[in-house]
Amino acid sequence: MLDTEIKVTLELAAEHGLSAEEYARIQKILGRDPNFTELGIFSVMWSEHCSYKSSKVHLRRLPTRGPQVLQGPGENAGVVDIGDGLTAAFKMESHNHPSYVEPFQGAATGVGGILRDIFTMGARPIAVLDSLRFGPIGSGTTDEETVARNRRIVDGVVRGIAHYGNCFGVPTVGGEVQFEAGYSANPLVNVLALGIAKKEDLFFAKARGAGNPVIYVGAKTGRDGIHGASLLASAEFTEESQQKRPNVQVGDPFMEKLLLEACLEAMQTGAVVAIQDMGAAGLTSSSCEMASRGGLGIEIELARVPQREPGMTPYEMMLSESQERMLLVAERGREQEVLRVFAKWGLDAVEIGRVTEDGLVRVLHHGKIAAEIPAHPLAEEGPVYQRPLAAPAPVANERLVEFGAAGADLTDNFRKLLAAPAIASKHWIWEQYDYMVRTNTLEGPGAGDAAVVRVKGTKRALALASDGNGRWSRLDPFVGAQLAVTEAARNVACSGAKPWAATNCLNFGSPEKPEVMWQFSRAIDGIAAACIALEIPITGGNVSFYNETLGRSIDPTPVLGVLGIMEDASRALGMAFRAEGDVILLLDGLASAETSRREFSSSEYARTIHGIVAGAPPAVNLSAEKKLIAALVALAGEGKLQSAHDVSDGGLAVTLAESCFASDGLSARVSLAGKEPDEAALFGERGARAVVSVTSENLAAVRRIAAQYELAVLEIGRVSRGEFRIELNGRIAISSDTPSLADAWNGALEKLLSTNRLGKTE
Amino acid sequence: MKFGVVVFPGSNCDHDAFHALGAVLHQPVEFLWHQSEQVSGFDAIILPGGFSYGDYLRTGAIARFSPVMRAVEKFARSGGLVLGICNGFQILCEAGLLPGVLQRNAGMRFVCRQVHIRVETTDTPFTAMAKPGQVLQIPIAHGDGNYFCDEATLADLERHRQIVFRYTTPEGREDAAANPNGSLANIAGVCNREHNVVGLMPHPERAVEAALGSDDGLVIFRSLIESLTRRASVSA
């Protein structure tokens, strides 16, 4: 049966995820009933994933401007000026549902999608970071079947990222991983990509010039990924979700690598007017968005589209999410210059249509009209919802951590904490990624708080960090979101870079639930407050709703990616202690603060040692964070620090240990004093703090600079060799030989994950 | 003196080799497209890392049939200097210019990390400036670096001093823990009988600037430059 013969009804619209109101709106725009292909086009363009219909009204509250911002939200990626006539294009995107249905391909195509967004802008990708969230992988944390499945998901996702990024030739330089029960049936795979372009080489997805040819390039169109955006990304999961596996696309990093080289080369000819990748909603979104942004129309003939299999209908072709495809507009008369470049790289490039003046997206199939829709209303006048919000009921009688007696030896607890998956070394993961290709990586994974890549041809370097804590955002989405911003910014500052701009990936449950929308709204307010205070504009990002399975939402997880800039790449700082005898300082933006019982109950220690996740996230003090960040940037810029590492998951004790583990066999002797309970002093996760090491010669200078920023500087110990020891109010709280601590931290993840397919340890 | 860096579709360390030779070592260097049918005018050829033609059949298996490889083979057989890095090493083995094969890593995973390799012979144009037994810190990044050959070939390699690099500890001890991929006899790089073609899995082009973690790879490129300079003066 031909598409056009399928009668479109309200029921069919509902099956496409369109409400009765939305269907009525379609009828009004068209002045008639849509045909089947048109219904498909509307359903993907107006899906939550593509239209941001539930998030739009809230996203407007984010700060998006700044003198450095060349392109804010609304394009394929945000773009900021990084000096020397260069720009950085960067963005973060999720591929959560596909990664649950098919971890390897889901994660791989997640990397592929965001890389295309970057090089579509004319920028060459130079770094990737991944923010991953999985269910528990430790034995006994939940039932064995779930643990085994979670481990398989971790393995598949990591292999998928490695497969795509390594082959494409972009270094995967950093990111973070968390394990929480709420992600068992809905893992998060958020990928951030960064690219560099000369200012004059930037490209935008805006059609120009009626009569200009529309050219299809890259992989052939197949039946894969049909309705990926509307059915996978814009609906919650049920028990039948595994049947959605055919909706997951299959990636080919080799094809993408060719596409990258060919696109950048074609752009250099000057004959390319506009370009847009075919990501979610494929040919539909690329043609509609280019036409709409240019205030023009586009006419395409589907019979000319390179097809992988015969007999595809217009509906299937318009909705296919086959990967590694691009749509571009060339200058009439110069199309041969463009086609020649793609031929050189062995890629399909076919003129499939032209830009028109009538503002319509007209889709022909063998000369017959298969769809005809006004571009602007389709792309820009979709539904916008002010969904109801409702704060969840407060938790009654929650169990909080009981602090132990003062003076106890906490070494055993510390060792357990170091081996907790959230704290333990992630080298098992990042060693599977090529983090050095392109020879720019100054601080790779595990080396510093942020990844640092140099910008060849300049003295500068860029730093990148991502962060987001779902546990904290569940307890308080406003504070949790602020902490995601402050931690990522602090991480960038610890590497010596000034926070310059941010992108985000907002992972939430169903927007149709008032509690979820309340979490979302509060998280937006938190991000906005922190970004305004720290003067970090948001240049784009991604919203991922419907992260729920069988009615259960994930912990709300706003992930922030912060880009930093440093003037002198040779000043890049790692977390590793550098020399025996160096002085260890705690820089504290808010020296008078203490970690309360409620706050401590939401810490990694509380979860690992006491099995408690409750209370509230640590309170945020934005002015303290701002002072600390400015001081770190100044100190690093003047070359006064040997190392810097912020206090975060696991608290001060873990921060100190990690600076030892990253070093060349060094250790630390530290003594602390204070009124806080022992566990809070050692393992509390209060922000606005960083541990730095300095040579004795630089100590006075560091104190002087820190004083300019009104920052408390506490001399807490010395870099040593041998025993790792922390004294608290004169009594030994932690003491152990460093290698045994390092082994616990180093091997934990590998022990859990290094299993072959039979489930045996390798 | 001119260096050629071959670009196959899917090569992704071509820019890095180009940068190392051009920007760091200030040598004349040009890219060589995979469809070039001749390599005249070049004094040394680098086959860079990456995933040539997607490496879908088997690493290096498709690249060996490319037009440029016919030219490289002729160049090598007439004594030209050829260095294959990572995927380049795999291609040289597939092309029969070097003995042995590179299998999946023993751990069945891609591995990227700094490793240590010991210079086993200084009797090649690529290691002439190294000290015998010198240990170099150079990173690896591969999924298929597990070197293998039969016993007769191994004996042959030993006899003709064709094992150029072995994975060792930082102190130069050859043990299983220092072997990142299960390579036979800890072999990280070999050369042909004539010693003018060398292939290795580690990436010396990533180890030419201390800021990136190591500049131990410089000795390989400097040896190469020195050998070419000497050749040029002899022929002049």
Side-chain angles (χ1 to χ4, degrees):
Chain A
M1 181 161 53
L2 284 174
D3 297 350
T4 43
E5 294 169 32
I6 297 173
K7 181 155 171 51
V8 175
T9 59
L10 205 54
E11 291 71 42
L12 193 59
E15 279 172 32
H16 279 72
L18 290 162
S19 70
E21 297 76 41
E22 286 168 348
Y23 185 67
R25 202 181 178 108
I26 294 169
Q27 290 170 311
K28 192 160 164 244
I29 288 172
L30 294 175
R32 59 179 165 80
D33 286 340
N35 66 27
F36 185 54
T37 303
E38 289 166 338
L39 181 74
I41 291 173
F42 272 105
S43 78
V44 290
M45 288 299 288
W46 288 7
S47 66
E48 189 64 58
H49 184 77
C50 291
S51 75
Y52 293 83
K53 57 191 171 190
S54 304
S55 54
K56 231 175 206 169
V57 294
H58 299 284
L59 295 174
R60 289 186 191 126
R61 301 202 293 276
L62 294 174
T64 58
R65 287 169 212 273
Q68 68 273 48
V69 179
L70 300 174
Q71 175 65 55
E75 263 287 347
N76 285 301
V79 183
V80 289
D81 196 327
I82 55 167
D84 297 311
L86 294 175
T87 67
F90 73 118
K91 194 185 173 193
M92 194 173 223
E93 216 163 68
S94 64
H95 227 216
N96 304 339
H97 280 176
S99 302
Y100 179 57
V101 176
E102 166 48 48
F104 181 90
Q105 289 296 347
T109 52
V111 176
I114 190 69
L115 288 173
R116 274 194 304 286
D117 281 337
I118 300 303
F119 68 81
T120 300
M121 303 292 296
R124 180 179 282 277
I126 64 159
V128 160
L129 271 76
D130 305 288
S131 270
L132 308 176
R133 302 291 181 274
F134 301 109
I137 55 166
S139 304
T141 43
T142 174
D143 65 281
E144 283 305 307
E145 197 184 321
T146 305
V147 167
R149 192 183 58 218
N150 289 341
R151 289 176 183 175
R152 277 199 303 275
I153 293 172
V154 175
D155 182 58
V157 165
V158 170
R159 282 179 192 271
I161 291 169
H163 167 69
Y164 210 100
N166 296 353
C167 181
F168 178 84
V170 66
T172 301
V173 294
E176 15 86 59
V177 191
Q178 296 284 337
F179 304 88
E180 298 273 355
Y183 303 117
S184 277
N186 197 316
L188 303 184
V189 175
N190 292 181
V191 187
L192 191 167
L194 165 71
I196 300 282
K198 288 186 193 149
K199 207 181 270 184
E200 66 269 23
D201 287 347
L202 282 174
F203 259 84
F204 299 97
K206 193 168 161 184
R208 277 191 289 115
N212 276 337
V214 174
I215 298 173
Y216 171 113
V217 298
K220 292 179 177 27
T221 295
R223 288 194 167 102
D224 52 335
I226 290 174
H227 273 306
S230 53
L231 293 188
L232 266 183
S234 301
E236 64 175 277
F237 269 10
T238 61
E239 275 153 350
E240 288 87 50
S241 291
Q242 286 300 330
Q243 292 167 10
K244 291 183 180 171
R245 194 165 289 163
N247 293 83
V248 178
Q249 315 88 325
V250 176
D252 179 355
F254 170 59
M255 177 67 85
E256 179 115 325
K257 166 72 173 164
L258 301 183
L259 202 54
L260 160 78
E261 300 298 342
C263 284
L264 292 184
E265 202 173 312
M267 289 167 175
Q268 288 299 316
T269 64
V272 178
V273 169
I275 183 163
Q276 168 83 45
D277 82 296
M278 295 191 222
L283 201 46
T284 293
S285 69
S286 55
S287 55
C288 300
E289 283 170 14
M290 276 211 289
S292 168
R293 284 181 190 146
L296 293 161
I298 273 184
E299 181 180 292
I300 55 174
E301 169 54 75
L302 291 178
R304 297 184 61 84
V305 168
Q307 292 158 51
R308 203 186 297 154
E309 47 203 312
M312 290 183 70
T313 64
Y315 178 93
E316 289 170 325
M317 277 189 267
M318 289 305 288
L319 268 54
S320 161
E321 289 191 7
S322 292
Q323 298 288 291
E324 293 93 24
R325 301 178 301 159
M326 292 275 194
L327 201 64
L328 62 85
V329 176
E331 203 177 306
R332 177 62 76 195
R334 297 183 66 187
E335 48 273 59
Q336 281 311 318
E337 293 174 54
V338 176
L339 297 178
R340 210 176 298 133
V341 173
F342 287 98
K344 173 189 161 188
W345 288 94
L347 293 172
D348 273 330
V350 184
E351 185 177 332
I352 62 164
R354 61 192 176 90
V355 177
T356 61
E357 269 174 343
D358 60 15
L360 297 172
V361 172
R362 188 178 302 109
V363 180
L364 306 173
H365 194 217
H366 297 291
K368 284 206 294 206
I369 291 179
E372 192 173 54
I373 306 173
H376 193 76
L378 171 63
E380 302 298 332
E381 292 171 21
V384 174
Y385 296 128
Q386 180 87 53
R387 302 238 189 227
L389 317 176
V395 182
N397 305 322
E398 59 178 359
R399 193 163 73 94
L400 298 180
V401 171
E402 300 289 345
F403 286 121
D409 186 330
L410 294 167
T411 306
D412 287 345
N413 285 356
F414 181 51
R415 205 182 296 276
K416 265 184 225 154
L417 187 60
L418 289 173
I423 306 276
S425 166
K426 307 298 184 294
H427 74 91
W428 182 87
I429 292 175
W430 52 254
E431 278 189 359
Q432 297 185 50
Y433 306 147
D434 188 342
Y435 54 89
M436 303 181 220
V437 63
R438 303 207 61 75
T439 57
N440 295 319
T441 310
L442 299 176
E443 301 291 343
D449 280 4
V452 181
V453 287
R454 66 178 175 185
V455 182
K456 283 199 185 107
T458 76
K459 277 189 74 181
R460 292 196 175 84
L462 299 174
L464 271 171
S466 65
D467 200 74
N469 187 320
R471 189 171 74 236
W472 284 346
S473 297
R474 170 160 56 84
L475 295 169
D476 186 334
F478 179 70
V479 175
Q482 289 188 79
L483 287 166
V485 177
T486 55
E487 162 117 31
R490 210 188 305 132
N491 284 340
V492 160
C494 279
S495 76
K498 180 180 163 55
W500 199 236
T503 180
N504 59 43
C505 201
L506 309 171
N507 309 275
F508 288 78
S510 166
E512 293 158 41
K513 289 184 180 169
E515 294 77 19
V516 171
M517 267 330 279
W518 178 83
Q519 290 172 333
F520 185 78
S521 176
R522 291 296 288 160
I524 292 288
D525 288 338
I527 294 169
C531 284
I532 289 166
L534 302 179
E535 296 171 62
I536 306 172
I538 300 267
T539 60
N542 170 236
V543 178
S544 172
F545 277 131
Y546 296 102
N547 287 292
E548 42 188 86
T549 297
L550 300 175
R552 275 184 64 105
S553 307
I554 56 160
D555 287 349
T557 314
V559 175
L560 263 289
V562 172
L563 173 74
I565 185 165
M566 85 182 71
E567 292 301 315
D568 183 352
S570 72
R571 300 285 199 219
L573 272 183
M575 66 166 77
F577 288 141
R578 304 265 291 279
E580 194 176 348
D582 281 351
V583 180
I584 302 173
L585 303 175
L586 175 65
L587 307 182
D588 197 336
L590 205 64
S592 58
E594 286 183 21
T595 301
S596 73
R597 226 178 112 214
R598 268 182 68 75
E599 288 169 338
F600 193 68
S601 298
S602 73
S603 66
E604 196 56 53
Y605 181 91
R607 184 175 64 165
T608 304
I609 306 301
H610 297 292
I612 290 175
V613 177
V620 181
N621 185 307
L622 293 172
S623 69
E625 296 282 2
K626 195 175 179 184
K627 284 193 296 193
L628 175 68
I629 287 167
L632 282 166
V633 174
L635 287 165
E638 295 197 25
K640 299 298 182 201
L641 303 180
Q642 294 273 74
S643 71
H645 187 16
D646 82 318
V647 178
S648 64
D649 297 345
L652 184 55
V654 168
T655 302
L656 288 162
E658 285 174 341
S659 289
C660 297
F661 301 157
S663 76
D664 201 3
L666 293 167
S667 191
R669 292 200 128 188
V670 167
S671 70
L672 306 170
K675 305 189 300 294
E676 277 183 301
D678 291 5
E679 287 161 301
L682 293 168
F683 309 114
E685 295 171 353
R686 179 165 68 75
R689 292 184 295 167
V691 169
V692 300
S693 64
V694 302
T695 60
S696 338
E697 301 84 76
N698 280 332
L699 187 56
V702 168
R703 286 190 181 281
R704 180 173 45 76
I705 295 168
Q708 288 166 12
Y709 294 91
E710 298 164 25
L711 200 64
V713 177
L714 281 78
E715 188 174 330
I716 58 171
R718 294 264 173 176
V719 177
S720 63
R721 285 200 181 271
E723 187 194 22
F724 178 88
R725 180 198 283 199
I726 302 179
E727 289 175 15
L728 193 53
N729 297 322
R731 280 190 287 196
I732 293 174
I734 293 174
S735 87
S736 173
D737 66 304
T738 313
S740 85
L741 293 175
D743 285 349
W745 175 80
N746 238 321
L749 221 52
E750 197 165 355
K751 229 178 271 169
L752 298 175
L753 292 168
S754 247
T755 50
N756 62 24
R757 290 205 170 74
L758 299 171
K760 291 179 186 148
T761 302
E762 268 168 15
Chain B
M1 193 189 305
K2 189 164 76 178
F3 291 83
V5 174
V6 175
V7 181
F8 298 102
S11 292
N12 63 30
C13 302
D14 45 347
H15 290 208
D16 300 351
F18 191 95
H19 173 80
L21 284 163
V24 180
L25 288 150
H26 310 293
Q27 299 300 311
V29 53
E30 283 176 23
F31 286 122
L32 261 165
W33 187 236
H34 68 119
Q35 282 165 338
S36 315
E37 286 175 1
Q38 45 101 354
V39 296
S40 58
F42 290 93
D43 301 285
I45 305 288
I46 315 285
L47 302 182
F51 292 73
S52 51
Y53 302 92
D55 272 349
Y56 281 125
L57 181 58
R58 193 171 63 240
T59 55
I62 306 173
R64 65 164 291 204
F65 293 109
S66 65
V68 77
M69 280 310 292
R70 279 197 290 275
V72 168
E73 195 171 332
K74 227 186 282 170
F75 179 77
R77 301 255 186 246
S78 61
L81 302 187
V82 179
L83 176 64
I85 303 168
C86 197
N87 191 223
F89 184 17
Q90 294 162 342
I91 295 167
L92 289 171
C93 289
E94 282 288 336
L97 288 168
L98 290 175
V101 294
L102 292 146
Q103 315 181 108
R104 287 301 309 278
N105 291 348
M108 302 304 281
R109 289 176 193 279
F110 191 98
V111 179
C112 178
R113 70 165 81 120
Q114 294 281 350
V115 299
H116 293 85
I117 55 174
R118 191 176 64 203
V119 178
E120 300 295 280
T121 171
T122 55
D123 183 23
T124 80
F126 306 87
T127 51
M129 290 175 75
K131 292 186 213 64
Q134 186 176 346
V135 177
L136 311 175
Q137 183 193 314
I138 297 187
I140 54 164
H142 59 246
D144 299 79
N146 180 357
Y147 185 82
F148 183 77
C149 62
D150 59 30
E151 272 177 40
T153 308
L154 182 62
D156 242 31
L157 289 175
E158 298 274 13
R159 191 171 324 123
H160 299 286
R161 302 188 59 78
Q162 285 174 252
I163 299 169
V164 185
F165 302 106
R166 276 199 166 93
Y167 298 109
T168 64
T169 64
E171 299 77 32
R173 213 172 48 249
E174 190 186 319
D175 63 21
N179 185 341
N181 53 28
S183 286
L184 181 71
N186 280 37
I187 290 173
V190 300
C191 64
N192 61 349
R193 184 78 61 91
E194 294 73 27
H195 288 209
N196 63 314
V197 178
V198 163
L200 76 166
M201 287 314 294
H203 286 270
E205 83 284 11
R206 297 185 183 186
V208 293
E209 296 166 274
L212 299 181
S214 170
D215 58 3
D216 288 0
L218 282 172
V219 73
I220 293 173
F221 291 105
R222 288 201 177 125
S223 296
L224 180 54
I225 294 163
E226 170 74 17
S227 304
L228 287 173
T229 311
R230 201 171 313 134
R231 281 184 168 206
S233 66
V234 168
S235 60

